[in-house]
Amino acid sequence: MAKRVGVIDIGSNSIRMVVYEKTSRYAFHLLHEEKSKVRISENAYKFDGNLQEEPMERTFLALRDFLQICHSFQTRKILCVATSALRDAPNQKLFTQRVKRELKLNIKVISGEKEAYFGAIACANLLPQQENALSIDIGGGSTEFTLIHKNVVLEPISLKLGTVRLKELFFDNNNIEGAIEYIDKELTKLNTLDVTTLIGIGGTFRAISNSIMKTENYPLNKLHAYEYTPTRLASFLDAIMQTKKKEELFKLFIKENRVDVIKPGTLILQRVLHKLLLKLNKVVTSGVGVREGVYLSDLLRNAKHKFPHNYNTSVKYLIDAHIGETTFSSQLNSLSKKIFDITYEYFKIDEKYRYELALAAKLYPAGSNVHFYSQNKHTYYLIQNALEYGFTHKSNTLIATLSKYATNRLPTRSHYEKYAELLPDEKSLNRLSFLLTLTIALLSHRPRNIDFTLSFKENTLYITSKRELYITKKSVESLHCNSEDFKIQFQS
């Protein structure tokens, strides 16, 4: 696969483009992203789905500029897909052939089931693993549903439900009852669903989740993997539908570019919730969708569209891009797990935090690649923002927090209060922070191979080595951790 790949998604409402760069076999990161609200389906549904001249021209011009942007990044491959508006249009070839002739770009018009599948494999690979989940992608012309269990994608289905479609057919005529009847009839095509998690994909769902996040004063500015309850979603959807003026939508943090289609999208979601609410216990927001699915289907084409077991593309990207001394990183990872395993019962730390501690240790050196003297600050920023795919917000926040205060001091009270809903109890957090700082101190002499062993008896950690660990001993002594409750003793 080419090192840099552009992906263009022509939707009914917007056209979007991303440029991805590979850093190793399966690791990648986003280089650039563009979006243009061309609304290629404008007035199409009033004319039997036929695309109209002005929207086609807008889309053509956006595509031309998108290609120029891709070429500026020296992309070696461009994948372009089109969804509902083009696949429903009797005159689609009028547009696709012009694009091929004048822009030398092949547009692949995909089926609704394929669109659903692309969105689902993005979620299955790039979200924290979910069980008994249903993904929903509300687009301008259609809505896609897919069952996802762990990383297995099942039963993709596409329905002719979309924000622009409903706006033009019903909302422009103030026929809300007709819209409800139409939606409910389409939803009967869904099989009986026994799902406990709803995964939201696409612009409509992200706009709603973003608004909920702001009304809740959520401590992170991160939509991907943002979780909340179905009842919170239901109450917010009610609030949107009850608004009379767009100024009321602004107060709910709905942006100007979403105002004219937010109610049709909200109504679709309301009717879906009405069908599922009694069984749901969690709503998860996906920051990835069709574009990422198209990219992953190419990247993982020889791996059944799945990453290898226990592989995380965000972790590997951070190592590829920001950690030169991978041996030291691996030693920190290994040693932190050993220390945790022999002390977690004594410190009364939940065993589930072993993974976050070890990963914080592994990624701790990343910030020094930016600036040595502010390593912790940069590692914290990199983890909080780039350690994204496959992590819950709680896991991400804990790993970032541990890296921020490593070798320095315990997490501050103000930091803990800001992120309390995403962190373990304060005592556990402080003890995990101490274990990471201790791990780093024990490797101060940067051995080629770890040249000491650890044991723990009663309240004492014994470090045994065949040689004098002078630098390491001084580093550990500077932690001032010896007390009646806990001691560290070096043995030759």
Side-chain angles (χ1 to χ4, degrees):
M1 185 179 184
K3 186 174 182 180
R4 290 184 176 178
V5 175
V7 182
I8 299 173
D9 170 18
I10 305 173
S12 300
N13 193 44
S14 300
I15 175 173
R16 294 177 171 87
M17 179 205 71
V18 289
V19 177
Y20 291 114
E21 180 178 52
K22 282 178 62 179
T23 56
S24 55
R25 186 178 182 187
Y26 293 132
F28 66 93
H29 67 116
L30 178 69
L31 272 182
H32 191 75
E33 183 176 43
E34 285 288 341
K35 173 186 173 182
S36 181
K37 186 180 173 182
V38 296
R39 193 163 289 180
I40 192 173
S41 65
E42 186 175 40
N43 294 323
Y45 301 112
K46 297 176 181 178
F47 295 95
D48 299 320
N50 282 288
L51 302 175
Q52 303 301 295
E53 188 62 37
E54 188 175 336
M56 282 195 288
E57 183 64 21
R58 289 196 301 260
T59 307
F60 178 87
L61 294 174
L63 279 174
R64 186 184 64 184
D65 289 348
F66 280 7
L67 290 176
Q68 176 60 43
I69 294 169
C70 282
H71 295 325
S72 77
F73 283 97
Q74 299 179 320
T75 55
R76 302 297 297 273
K77 181 187 289 188
I78 298 175
L79 307 170
C80 181
V81 297
T83 54
S84 176
L86 262 71
R87 69 170 169 258
D88 291 346
N91 62 339
Q92 64 168 257
K93 288 186 178 180
L94 182 68
F95 180 74
T96 58
Q97 289 178 356
R98 181 193 175 194
V99 170
K100 184 174 183 178
R101 182 176 66 252
E102 298 184 31
L103 300 181
K104 306 297 186 289
L105 176 68
N106 289 315
I107 298 174
K108 185 175 182 179
V109 181
I110 59 176
S111 68
E113 289 70 30
K114 195 69 173 179
E115 182 181 357
Y117 177 75
F118 282 143
I121 64 168
C123 292
N125 282 289
L126 302 178
L127 274 173
Q129 194 171 94
Q130 308 293 332
E131 297 184 6
N132 300 319
L134 176 72
S135 68
I136 175 172
D137 185 356
I138 302 172
S142 63
T143 295
E144 279 67 47
F145 300 87
T146 311
L147 291 172
I148 302 173
H149 183 66
K150 296 184 178 179
N151 62 347
V152 179
V153 175
L154 306 163
E155 300 180 39
I157 186 171
S158 178
L159 302 180
K160 291 185 182 296
L161 295 172
T163 58
V164 179
R165 187 190 295 268
L166 289 180
K167 174 185 177 297
E168 294 186 1
L169 294 180
F170 299 101
F171 278 76
D172 286 351
N173 303 317
N174 199 30
N175 183 11
I176 308 305
E177 291 302 317
I180 293 173
E181 184 180 346
Y182 177 83
I183 293 168
D184 288 348
K185 183 178 179 181
E186 282 292 299
L187 290 179
T188 60
K189 299 174 185 177
L190 287 177
N191 294 329
T192 302
L193 298 173
D194 184 18
V195 294
T196 55
T197 299
L198 184 67
I199 301 173
I201 306 174
T204 294
F205 206 103
R206 284 195 292 270
I208 291 168
S209 290
N210 182 63
S211 299
I212 292 174
M213 182 183 289
K214 289 182 177 178
T215 59
E216 299 283 346
N217 292 316
Y218 192 67
L220 285 187
N221 184 25
K222 183 192 289 284
L223 268 178
H224 186 65
Y226 173 50
E227 296 183 8
Y228 49 94
T229 64
T231 52
R232 182 69 186 94
L233 175 59
S235 65
F236 194 79
L237 297 178
D238 289 342
I240 291 176
M241 294 304 294
Q242 289 167 11
T243 58
K244 303 297 182 184
K245 301 176 182 179
K246 68 178 183 179
E247 287 76 18
E248 296 175 66
L249 289 171
F250 295 155
K251 290 180 181 179
L252 293 175
F253 301 101
I254 301 298
K255 295 179 181 179
E256 175 77 47
N257 65 348
R258 279 279 159 192
V259 165
D260 64 334
V261 292
I262 195 65
K263 284 194 174 182
T266 297
L267 187 60
I268 293 170
L269 196 47
Q270 267 193 330
R271 303 314 296 172
V272 172
L273 271 187
H274 180 72
K275 193 178 181 77
L276 301 176
L277 191 56
L278 292 177
K279 297 177 181 178
L280 288 181
N281 57 36
K282 182 170 59 173
V283 177
V284 181
T285 310
S286 173
V288 298
V290 172
R291 292 175 303 289
E292 290 77 12
V294 170
Y295 179 73
L296 290 176
S297 70
D298 194 39
L299 178 71
L300 304 172
R301 59 186 179 277
N302 297 320
K304 298 181 180 179
H305 296 170
K306 297 177 185 178
F307 285 116
H309 184 60
N310 288 334
Y311 179 91
N312 184 277
T313 185
S314 289
V315 173
K316 190 63 172 68
Y317 157 66
L318 282 171
I319 293 170
D320 290 344
H322 297 285
I323 298 179
E325 298 295 330
T326 55
T327 297
F328 181 55
S329 170
S330 296
Q331 288 176 348
L332 287 168
N333 177 263
S334 176
L335 184 60
S336 68
K337 287 187 281 192
K338 289 179 181 178
I339 294 174
F340 183 91
D341 289 343
I342 61 177
T343 64
Y344 79 92
E345 290 181 334
Y346 174 80
F347 284 124
K348 296 182 173 63
I349 306 173
D350 195 314
E351 195 173 3
K352 68 182 180 182
Y353 296 123
R354 181 181 189 264
Y355 175 73
E356 282 84 3
L357 173 66
L359 195 50
K362 188 181 188 73
L363 297 177
Y364 171 72
S368 63
N369 191 50
V370 181
H371 189 261
F372 177 78
Y373 289 110
S374 51
Q375 173 177 335
N376 287 36
K377 178 177 74 173
H378 294 301
T379 301
Y380 174 71
Y381 178 84
L382 286 169
I383 290 174
Q384 195 175 52
N385 292 278
L387 191 68
E388 185 163 35
Y389 297 144
F391 290 89
T392 65
H393 286 193
K394 288 184 177 181
S395 186
N396 175 282
T397 303
L398 176 55
I399 295 166
T401 297
L402 293 177
S403 71
K404 182 176 184 178
Y405 293 98
T407 75
N408 192 354
R409 59 190 185 279
L410 295 178
T412 63
R413 183 69 188 170
S414 60
H415 180 92
Y416 181 77
E417 288 176 349
K418 180 178 180 180
Y419 296 103
E421 66 181 283
L422 299 173
L423 290 169
D425 66 90
E426 194 168 10
K427 185 177 287 187
S428 293
L429 177 64
N430 289 341
R431 287 172 174 173
L432 287 166
S433 183
F434 167 70
L435 292 183
L436 177 56
T437 297
L438 177 60
T439 299
I440 297 166
L442 286 171
L443 291 173
S444 298
H445 61 305
R446 301 289 283 262
R448 180 175 297 178
N449 297 297
I450 295 177
D451 52 3
F452 54 85
T453 59
L454 301 175
S455 59
F456 188 73
K457 187 175 181 181
E458 295 179 352
N459 66 337
T460 303
L461 179 67
Y462 295 95
I463 297 105
T464 306
S465 177
K466 292 182 179 180
R467 70 183 188 87
E468 182 73 20
L469 301 175
Y470 180 79
I471 294 292
T472 294
K473 189 174 182 181
K474 292 299 181 183
S475 296
V476 171
E477 287 175 354
S478 71
L479 301 180
H480 304 293
C481 53
N482 278 328
S483 66
E484 291 184 4
D485 296 329
F486 180 78
K487 298 180 185 298
I488 297 178
Q489 185 172 324
F490 284 82
Q491 299 181 138
S492 297

